[in-house]
Amino acid sequence: MARFLGLDASTQSLSALIVDTETGAVSANCNVVFGERLPQYHCPKGFLAHEDPRVRQSDPLMWVEALELVLGDLVKAGVDLASVRGVSGAGQQHGSVYLARSFDAVGAWSTDRPLRDQVQPLLSRRTSPIWMDSATSVECAEIAAAVGGDARMGAVTGSRAIERFTGPQIRKFYKDAPADWARTVEIHLVSSFMASLLTASTVPIDRGDGAGMNLLDLSAENWSRSLLDATAPGLAAKLRPPVASTTRVGVLSDYFVNKYGFSRKTPVIAFTGDNPSSLVGMGASRPGTAVISLGTSDTVFAAMAAPRTDPRGYGHVFGNPAGGFMALACFANGSLAREEIAHRFGLDWDAFADAILAHTRPGNRGNMLLPYFVPEITPRLPASVVRWFGSDDFVGGRDPYAAARAVVETQALSMRLHSRFVGEDMNPILVTGGASRNPGILRVLADVFQATIVPLQVSNSSALGAALRAAQAVEGAAWDELARRFSAPATHLAVTPDPTARAVYDEASGALERRLNGD
Ligand code: XUL
């Protein structure tokens, strides 16, 4: 058997998926939801409560414990982990973990104690800032000013200075907790942290995810010396040189061999960001295919041959694990906003779809909602903005059907408005993530983008991408062949656009732009 394990450490859960390259099947798919399985960490939606809504941090030990749970789930599901020939993974992007003792100093994990208890004493910072954090505007301005401004940052790193990116987060930590900064010997992204747990050694950050730090010089394929210096003193010594996403970074620690039954010396391939991994899982690693990912954050992305920055300053350039680059726009109010409306109006997901498909029409009779329950990344909204426009019933919160359509329409219109740098007139568009199974949401996306929307058979494309990256690195399989076999479209769920909705949404798009500008 030729099995490969892909892990995805995302905002609200950790999932594991196994592909079998001999049979072409996805043979296991487990998911540990933090809020359900690990309530003792007080991160019901993946982050800790904080009085400042701009501060969003998580507990890295929760991710460690989730790793053990998900491997245990695979064993309970009857998976023989001895047949796994390679492991890779993905992590929510930008989040960072700070160590006072290097993973390389660990040598080996002891099988006598849970991993969590062995990782705890390594940390120099108890919490990890994650991608939802927006508390570093001052640090962004300081870093950009030190290197010649945002345009220069964009040209070097693919993004202007961005609050959630790791560099500004590192600078804030250095300023707020200088003693803890001085104790820090090693910094990880969520992705390289998870990989280091598996090998019990320091795994470098890969270039795909490293591009989300405001530290990587895209053309030099290495950290930018001037950005390291502008971010925090001594930072260069706390980061290993970044590696290609296809790098074999070590073998599974004996801890996992003894506890979960993996084979000795199972290779571990560099972990990357969830979006770069998803690009591979969607079979979209060649330029020309756009993807919409509907998760805690919604993202729009596509492969890109050469780095090209977003003239409007919203988008980013990350590394494409299959080579080259990818363009991405990120929307923070993704599933949390959809869940908020579903919960507020007592709609389950079937009723939510029904509200869109059976009870409302494109344009929502002019009813529109600005659904920014948390500070938004795209467009930039530093505080929450929730505003209702339209009929008295809608504005008064008495029209659940229109409310369901409104949140999805604004999200889709905003994606259309703000993702032009990713690609114009994208058609078809592939769609992934939990919400990509909801026919109501797919209908709105098809009509707003006037494009055929195609979900895949596997909806966790990030974990799938990780498993495929492991297969590619170990077996040398071609990317196109892996995509053909594993990233198959679920054609029966594809939705084609209604041409009569085009004019309605052209007008609604203008209305949204005016409202976002406060007109
Ligand atoms: C991308 C981003 C999010 C995270 C969490 O820039 O911030 O999509 O990767 O999924």
Side-chain angles (χ1 to χ4, degrees):
M1 262 183 285
R3 286 182 169 165
F4 296 90
L5 169 62
L7 297 165
D8 176 27
S10 71
T11 315
Q12 303 194 53
S13 67
L14 178 72
S15 38
L17 179 149
I18 290 187
V19 298
D20 187 324
T21 52
E22 260 165 34
T23 62
V26 172
S27 59
N29 205 337
C30 293
N31 187 30
V32 170
V33 177
F34 305 140
E36 289 166 12
R37 301 276 295 278
L38 296 162
Q40 65 273 32
Y41 287 95
H42 307 290
C43 294
K45 295 282 180 191
F47 54 86
L48 296 155
H50 199 284
E51 70 267 12
D52 182 347
R54 296 170 310 161
V55 174
R56 286 284 183 260
Q57 299 177 346
S58 190
D59 189 332
L61 297 176
M62 176 174 79
W63 303 329
V64 180
E65 208 166 330
L67 175 64
E68 297 233 55
L69 287 178
V70 88
L71 295 178
D73 285 359
L74 287 172
V75 173
K76 271 187 224 139
V79 179
D80 174 15
L81 291 174
S83 62
V84 168
R85 290 185 43 205
V87 183
S88 188
Q92 52 171 310
Q93 297 198 254
H94 319 298
S96 43
V97 185
Y98 300 79
L99 303 186
R101 199 163 157 242
S102 163
F103 277 119
D104 269 348
V106 169
W109 303 119
S110 148
T111 321
D112 304 339
R113 286 186 300 144
L115 200 51
R116 177 203 178 284
D117 295 353
Q118 302 179 62
V119 174
Q120 185 167 32
L122 305 182
L123 299 176
S124 60
R125 181 179 184 180
R126 279 187 37 237
T127 58
S128 289
I130 63 164
W131 66 273
M132 298 168 105
D133 192 284
S134 56
T136 63
S137 300
V138 171
E139 289 72 22
C140 285
E142 289 169 350
I143 296 169
V147 297
D150 266 322
R152 173 92 195 117
M153 295 270 307
V156 174
T157 71
S159 306
R160 58 171 189 75
I162 303 279
E163 280 77 355
R164 70 189 189 286
F165 277 36
T166 326
Q169 294 291 342
I170 289 173
R171 180 164 181 79
K172 188 161 171 46
F173 178 51
Y174 144 70
K175 283 167 59 185
D176 290 353
D180 291 336
W181 172 254
R183 291 196 305 130
T184 301
V185 298
E186 195 164 294
I187 300 173
H188 284 280
L189 291 180
V190 177
S191 53
S192 64
F193 174 69
M194 299 306 289
S196 303
L197 296 176
L198 291 177
T199 62
S201 66
T202 303
V203 170
I205 291 168
D206 85 300
R207 292 191 203 111
D209 209 10
M213 298 174 79
N214 273 153
L215 291 173
L216 190 78
D217 179 332
L218 293 178
S219 45
E221 299 189 336
N222 204 347
W223 306 125
S224 149
R225 188 70 226 194
S226 54
L227 275 163
L228 291 172
D229 291 345
T231 299
L235 173 55
K238 304 181 204 288
L239 291 172
R240 300 288 163 95
V243 294
S245 319
T246 46
T247 310
R248 236 184 238 232
V249 289
V251 296
L252 272 185
S253 152
D254 280 351
Y255 179 89
F256 299 98
V257 175
N258 298 333
K259 196 159 172 187
Y260 301 101
F262 284 99
S263 294
R264 224 160 268 285
K265 301 213 182 316
T266 303
V268 176
I269 312 311
F271 279 34
T272 190
D274 53 0
N275 292 297
S277 191
S278 193
L279 185 77
V280 171
M282 295 303 283
S285 58
R286 282 178 190 276
T289 309
V291 179
I292 293 179
S293 171
L294 302 168
T296 305
S297 62
D298 291 340
T299 52
V300 182
F301 55 81
M304 183 164 68
R308 177 173 34 84
T309 40
D310 179 4
R312 297 178 72 188
Y314 288 121
H316 314 299
V317 180
F318 298 143
N320 175 347
F325 300 89
M326 67 184 285
L328 177 140
C330 178
F331 304 82
N333 282 269
S335 66
L336 295 184
R338 291 185 286 275
E339 281 163 19
E340 171 70 30
I341 292 297
H343 176 74
R344 210 181 265 195
F345 290 90
L347 301 167
D348 64 18
W349 293 115
D350 285 343
F352 197 88
D354 213 41
I356 292 171
L357 296 172
H359 298 284
T360 53
R361 300 273 314 137
N364 215 9
R365 290 209 254 124
N367 295 318
M368 185 181 270
L369 165 65
L370 299 189
Y372 302 108
F373 295 95
V374 294
E376 180 52 66
I377 293 167
T378 315
R380 238 164 112 79
L381 299 172
S384 105
V385 176
V386 182
R387 292 180 62 198
W388 304 74
F389 302 90
S391 71
D392 288 350
D393 273 353
F394 178 70
V395 174
R398 292 182 299 276
D399 190 342
Y401 298 146
R405 181 177 274 275
V407 64
V408 180
E409 278 192 344
T410 304
Q411 290 182 327
L413 286 166
S414 177
M415 284 190 221
R416 184 178 117 165
L417 268 175
H418 297 105
S419 63
R420 283 186 205 129
F421 118 102
V422 176
E424 284 188 59
D425 298 324
M426 309 179 279
N427 192 8
I429 299 175
L430 302 181
V431 64
T432 180
S436 69
R437 287 291 181 265
N438 189 294
I441 295 175
L442 299 190
R443 162 55 54 211
V444 173
L445 287 173
D447 291 347
V448 167
F449 279 89
Q450 287 292 301
T452 301
I453 304 293
V454 188
L456 296 200
Q457 281 167 18
V458 175
S459 65
N460 187 347
S461 53
S462 185
L464 175 63
L468 298 185
R469 289 192 310 103
Q472 191 276 338
V474 173
E475 291 192 327
W479 293 113
D480 287 345
E481 176 58 15
L482 289 170
R484 195 188 57 71
R485 297 187 72 193
F486 291 98
S487 311
T491 19
H492 61 291
L493 299 175
V495 178
T496 51
D498 169 2
T500 66
R502 180 188 290 272
V504 177
Y505 284 125
D506 283 348
E507 200 186 315
S509 171
L512 175 62
E513 206 164 18
R514 284 192 298 280
R515 282 169 177 157
L516 286 171
N517 291 333
D519 304 347

Coordinates of all heavy atoms in Angstrom, one line a residue, residues 231 273 285 415 457 505:
T231 N 12.4 44.7 12.0 CA 11.3 44.1 12.8 C 11.7 43.9 14.2 O 10.9 44.3 15.1 CB 11.0 42.7 12.1 OG1 10.5 42.9 10.8 CG2 9.9 42.0 12.9
G273 N 1.4 26.7 4.5 CA 0.2 27.4 4.9 C -1.0 26.7 4.4 O -1.0 26.0 3.4
S285 N -2.6 24.2 -9.1 CA -1.3 24.7 -8.9 C -0.7 25.3 -10.2 O 0.4 25.8 -10.2 CB -0.4 23.7 -8.3 OG -0.3 22.5 -9.1
M415 N -16.0 39.8 -2.4 CA -15.0 39.0 -3.0 C -14.8 39.5 -4.5 O -13.7 39.6 -5.0 CB -15.4 37.5 -3.0 CG -15.2 36.9 -1.7 SD -15.4 35.1 -1.9 CE -16.4 34.7 -0.5
Q457 N -14.8 16.7 -4.9 CA -15.3 15.6 -4.1 C -14.8 15.6 -2.7 O -15.5 15.3 -1.8 CB -15.0 14.3 -4.8 CG -16.0 14.0 -6.0 CD -15.6 12.9 -6.9 OE1 -14.7 12.1 -6.5 NE2 -16.1 12.9 -8.1
Y505 N -26.6 42.3 -10.1 CA -25.4 42.3 -9.3 C -24.4 43.4 -9.7 O -23.6 43.8 -8.9 CB -24.7 40.9 -9.2 CG -25.5 40.0 -8.3 CD1 -26.0 38.7 -8.8 CD2 -25.8 40.4 -7.0 CE1 -26.7 37.9 -7.9 CE2 -26.5 39.5 -6.2 CZ -27.0 38.3 -6.6 OH -27.7 37.5 -5.8

